Amino acid sequence: MLGADGAPTLPVGYDGPDWVQIGTWAIAPTEGKNVKEQHLVFAERAAVRAYRETGKWPDGSTLVKELRGASPTVMSTGFSAPTGELNGWFVMVKGRAAPTKVTSHWGDGWYGAQYDAKDRKRNLSPGWASCRGCHTPVQSTDWVFAAGYPVLKR
């Protein structure tokens, strides 16, 4: 779903029964440092099935990356970084064809946006160009870090 500004909106219920958590990333500020954030990534079940069959996300597929803090600690099981407070969301919506209305949030077949944890309607992203740099290494897997999502390989 796209908003009036052409940015993807944050879907309500992305953690519900029609969605699946496809993976989680532990983010550290630099190599060898403590985990500072965790990214929990969700996609619609139907889109995941289609990706497994074709290796491409169908038009309209929505991916939500929930950004959460992490609190590194030592536990009886070893070093851990439990998931913490919500920091915001990244949202991607697949749209292969260029939009009829030009929008900075579209590029390379995807719409992208980042939303504030304090105001889920406030888009913090200037557009897809701010997303593209991080996603360029995974251009061959439809701009998604598919290798980090084992559920896509089943």
Side-chain angles (χ1 to χ4, degrees), residues 45-107:
R45 286 186 188 281
V48 169
R49 279 192 296 274
Y51 184 88
R52 286 177 184 159
E53 292 173 12
T54 66
K56 298 285 182 191
W57 295 96
D59 279 354
S61 296
T62 302
L63 282 76
V64 176
K65 185 188 296 183
E66 191 177 271
L67 312 174
R68 291 196 167 267
S71 304
T73 187
V74 176
M75 298 177 70
S76 59
T77 56
F79 178 77
S80 182
T83 305
E85 280 189 47
L86 179 65
N87 294 332
W89 302 268
F90 285 120
V91 180
M92 290 174 57
V93 174
K94 183 67 179 189
R96 280 183 177 56
T100 52
K101 178 184 172 193
V102 176
T103 171
S104 64
H105 296 283
W106 183 86

Side-chain angles (χ1 to χ4, degrees), residues 10-139:
L10 178 62
V12 175
Y14 68 85
D15 55 353
D18 294 332
W19 292 72
V20 61
Q21 184 177 354
I22 60 174
T24 301
W25 296 88
I27 309 299
T30 58
E31 187 176 341
K33 297 293 181 186
N34 288 341
V35 172
K36 68 170 186 159
E37 195 170 63
Q38 292 186 1
H39 294 179
L40 292 70
V41 184
F42 300 85
E44 298 137 310
R45 286 186 188 281
V48 169
R49 279 192 296 274
Y51 184 88
R52 286 177 184 159
E53 292 173 12
T54 66
K56 298 285 182 191
W57 295 96
D59 279 354
S61 296
T62 302
L63 282 76
V64 176
K65 185 188 296 183
E66 191 177 271
L67 312 174
R68 291 196 167 267
S71 304
T73 187
V74 176
M75 298 177 70
S76 59
T77 56
F79 178 77
S80 182
T83 305
E85 280 189 47
L86 179 65
N87 294 332
W89 302 268
F90 285 120
V91 180
M92 290 174 57
V93 174
K94 183 67 179 189
R96 280 183 177 56
T100 52
K101 178 184 172 193
V102 176
T103 171
S104 64
H105 296 283
W106 183 86
D108 302 305
W110 287 93
Y111 292 88
Q114 179 182 358
Y115 288 93
D116 185 358
K118 292 178 178 72
D119 180 357
R120 64 184 298 132
K121 293 184 179 183
R122 182 172 172 235
N123 180 2
L124 304 172
S125 169
W128 177 253
S130 66
C131 305
R132 191 176 203 276
C134 291
H135 286 261
T136 297
V138 291
Q139 192 172 356

